[in-house]
Amino acid sequence: MNARTVGKLQSYRFLSQDNWLASFFPETLLYTESTFRHLLHKYRSVIVKPNLGVHGNGVLKISKIMDRYRFQCDDVVKTFSNISLLIDYLQKVTANECYIVQKYIELATINERPFDLRVMVQRKIDHDWEITGQYAKVAKRGLIITNLKSKADVLPVEEVLLTLNVGEGQRRMQALVHSIALRTAQRLGERFTEHHIWGIDIAVDRYGCVWMIEANARPGFRGFQKLKDRSMYRTIMEVKRYNKELES
């Protein structure tokens, strides 16, 4: 099986077999009218996104606020007076693709802008997995997507975590983020033995809890080029060159 063609739901189900990793995932289901109603009733805010989506394309946030329903996709916001109208609209949006629905994580913010973390995990051929880079993706004001394509800003992880004011807890949080990223790559490496790189997206919510969002088999490198310190970018490229030389 090719790691690059595996959907988010398949990855979630596989990784959730690891009980420790499963504790960090938001509840995720295949999108149907029934599962959507269930999770929206349970959490009041959910994310609906394409199973094979990339770059944050097609990510929808739906919330129940009092007796109304709020829909957001990028900077488009719609309000529906009842759930039937909302579902009719969602059926049109999701008609031509497989979608998943999951609990919405209210991300921690910096200057009222949500952020999450990208952790790059690589493996030199015949070596163990290692973390070769990380950065924080800070969404544009008013948007829910922390993707570079949506013009998110890139900041050092340490700088962003300092704003959470968790004191000594910052080191424990960073260690937990790294443990989740490494364990994810190790588990995926058991399934996709020829794949040597994963971009792991990890979130911290407004209460300081850490969540595993998804693993990207084709992670980009532009974020690392945007950092003032280019050492992580050089390390990532060095590992890629090492593997390419051995494979050639």
Side-chain angles (χ1 to χ4, degrees):
M1 185 180 293
N2 190 332
R4 299 185 178 192
T5 61
V6 173
K8 294 176 173 61
L9 185 62
Q10 290 74 20
S11 292
Y12 166 78
R13 287 173 173 169
F14 174 71
L15 291 170
S16 292
Q17 295 173 29
D18 182 311
N19 291 332
W20 185 78
L21 275 180
S23 66
F24 298 103
F25 275 103
E27 185 174 2
T28 303
L29 299 170
L30 178 68
Y31 173 84
T32 65
E33 180 179 336
S34 175
T35 57
F36 171 73
R37 285 178 178 268
H38 169 67
L39 290 192
L40 185 61
H41 175 75
K42 186 175 182 178
Y43 298 115
R44 302 190 70 82
S45 287
V46 298
I47 290 291
V48 175
K49 57 187 177 183
N51 186 46
L52 295 174
V54 294
H55 306 309
N57 293 328
V59 175
L60 321 172
K61 178 189 174 186
I62 296 99
S63 303
K64 184 177 183 184
I65 304 173
M66 303 296 286
D67 60 345
R68 292 185 173 269
Y69 298 87
R70 185 179 188 272
F71 166 100
Q72 181 175 0
C73 180
D74 295 326
D75 57 355
V76 175
V77 177
K78 296 179 180 290
T79 302
F80 297 87
S81 59
N82 62 68
I83 195 167
S84 295
L85 292 174
L86 169 63
I87 288 174
D88 287 345
Y89 183 76
L90 287 175
Q91 284 179 336
K92 297 174 184 176
V93 173
T94 62
N96 299 318
E97 211 170 336
C98 176
Y99 278 71
I100 61 173
V101 56
Q102 63 184 183
K103 173 186 177 180
Y104 171 70
I105 305 300
E106 190 170 357
L107 299 179
T109 61
I110 179 169
N111 297 324
E112 300 182 351
R113 298 164 59 194
F115 71 86
D116 64 11
L117 312 177
R118 164 59 60 87
V119 183
M120 195 72 80
V121 190
Q122 292 174 278
R123 178 174 68 85
K124 289 183 177 179
I125 295 174
D126 298 328
H127 289 66
D128 292 331
W129 290 98
E130 60 178 330
I131 291 171
T132 51
Q134 61 179 0
Y135 60 80
K137 302 173 290 176
V138 185
K140 283 184 64 178
R141 192 177 300 275
L143 295 187
I144 60 172
I145 301 300
T146 59
N147 194 278
L148 299 190
K149 189 176 179 182
S150 299
K151 295 183 169 50
D153 288 330
V154 171
L155 292 175
V157 168
E158 296 79 8
E159 178 181 328
V160 169
L161 293 185
L162 275 176
T163 68
L164 299 180
N165 296 317
V166 292
E168 286 299 311
Q170 181 183 340
R171 290 184 181 179
R172 291 193 296 272
M173 184 179 292
Q174 180 78 278
L176 178 57
V177 166
H178 286 182
S179 294
I180 293 170
L182 280 172
R183 182 81 156 255
T184 298
Q186 289 163 356
R187 289 290 172 263
L188 289 169
E190 294 168 4
R191 183 77 172 270
F192 307 104
T193 56
E194 301 301 314
H195 199 72
H196 304 122
I197 184 168
W198 295 93
I200 313 297
D201 288 335
I202 296 177
V204 179
D205 69 20
R206 60 179 298 191
Y207 305 107
C209 298
V210 176
W211 296 86
M212 167 66 190
I213 303 303
E214 63 184 42
N216 301 275
R218 294 178 292 174
F221 311 112
R222 188 159 56 96
F224 294 99
Q225 292 176 290
K226 289 177 172 288
L227 293 170
K228 290 181 181 179
D229 182 353
R230 302 284 290 273
S231 61
M232 288 185 287
Y233 176 73
R234 290 192 291 270
T235 298
I236 292 165
M237 292 298 107
E238 180 184 329
V239 174
K240 283 181 63 65
R241 283 193 295 271
Y242 176 91
N243 287 339
K244 188 173 182 179
E245 288 173 2
L246 286 186
E247 290 171 340
S248 60

